[in-house]
């Protein structure tokens, strides 16, 4: 149990370390936003992301920064682009019909120009040829970063399958 808590803490802190080490973006706006306002903004972003994702088109990829970091189960840390994400999902949508069954309300951890959101998800992938179904449930963890234009983009994502 202690090891699980340590891993969870590391997963939550890792995006901050990764993003802090990448200092190649434009200066942040001087606008100060309260934690309550950031929490409301990010909750709205997550709700919007899922509303678009449920249509299973590619518009949800607009929520990502042009370059972002991802850690997926059984994979190394990856520096990815929106274009690589589109390519990945073109292959998925070609083979599967994807249905989001449920997603939990996000928990938000705000911090001035960054925020972490995490929530549960339950979706299925239906093979278009065989109609076999793959159930995909877990927890989705995202690091949002305020951009120079005051928008918020995903700069890190990971998930933990249950």
């Amino acid at each position: 149990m202690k090891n699980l808590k340590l891993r969870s803490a590391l997963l939550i802190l890792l995006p901050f370390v990764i993003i802090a080490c990448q200092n190649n973006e434009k200066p942040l706006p001087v606008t100060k936003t309260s934690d309550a306002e950031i929490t409301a903004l990010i909750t709205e972003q997550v709700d919007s992301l899922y509303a678009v994702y449920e249509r299973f088109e590619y518009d949800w990829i607009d929520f990502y920064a042009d370059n972002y970091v991802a850690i997926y189960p059984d994979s190394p840390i990856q520096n990815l682009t929106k274009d690589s994400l589109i390519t990945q999902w073109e292959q998925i949508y070609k083979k599967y019909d994807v249905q989001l069954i449920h997603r939990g309300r996000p928990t938000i951890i705000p911090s001035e120009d960054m925020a972490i959101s995490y929530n549960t998800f339950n979706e299925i992938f239906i093979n278009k040829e065989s109609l076999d179904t793959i159930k995909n449930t877990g927890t989705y963890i995202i690091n949002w970063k305020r951009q120079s234009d005051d928008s918020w983009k995903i700069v890190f994502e990971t998930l933990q399958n249950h």
Side-chain angles (χ1 to χ4, degrees):
M1 185 69 169
K2 186 176 182 180
N3 193 16
L4 179 61
K5 287 181 182 179
L6 178 60
R7 284 185 180 177
S8 297
L10 286 174
L11 270 177
I12 291 173
L13 293 176
L14 185 61
F16 288 108
V17 173
I18 290 170
I19 302 306
C21 292
Q22 295 179 351
N23 194 14
N24 58 353
E25 293 193 20
K26 297 176 186 174
L28 293 173
V30 292
T31 307
K32 289 286 186 179
T33 309
S34 72
D35 284 355
E37 290 172 311
I38 292 172
T39 298
L41 281 167
I42 298 303
T43 299
E44 184 179 320
Q45 284 289 96
V46 172
D47 290 345
S48 297
L49 169 66
Y50 275 102
V52 175
Y53 179 75
E54 287 177 338
R55 294 194 309 250
F56 298 106
E57 298 168 354
Y58 299 100
D59 293 342
W60 58 271
I61 293 173
D62 290 338
F63 288 86
Y64 285 75
D66 291 336
N67 297 293
Y68 69 99
V69 176
I71 302 176
Y72 301 121
D74 302 320
S75 296
I77 296 172
Q78 301 173 56
N79 291 306
L80 299 172
T81 66
K82 283 168 67 171
D83 290 340
S84 67
L85 187 60
I86 290 170
T87 301
Q88 174 188 0
W89 280 88
E90 282 174 342
Q91 294 170 0
I92 292 170
Y93 289 154
K94 183 177 181 179
K95 187 173 181 177
Y96 298 99
D97 285 321
V98 183
Q99 296 177 7
L100 181 64
I101 305 300
H102 176 64
R103 60 128 177 147
R105 294 298 310 151
T107 298
I108 311 298
I109 304 170
S111 177
E112 288 189 24
D113 66 337
M114 295 174 55
I116 292 176
S117 67
Y118 62 93
N119 62 276
T120 57
F121 64 88
N122 179 0
E123 61 187 352
I124 57 173
F125 292 72
I126 304 167
N127 186 297
K128 291 180 178 181
E129 290 182 15
S130 68
L131 299 181
D132 289 337
T133 301
I134 299 169
K135 184 175 182 178
N136 186 28
T137 61
T139 301
Y140 187 46
I141 304 168
I142 304 172
N143 190 170
W144 299 87
K145 185 166 177 44
R146 185 192 316 252
Q147 306 299 297
S148 60
D149 65 355
D150 260 356
S151 66
W152 290 81
K153 297 286 184 178
I154 296 169
V155 295
F156 172 85
E157 77 171 352
T158 189
L159 59 93
Q160 176 64 44
N161 289 328
H162 296 171

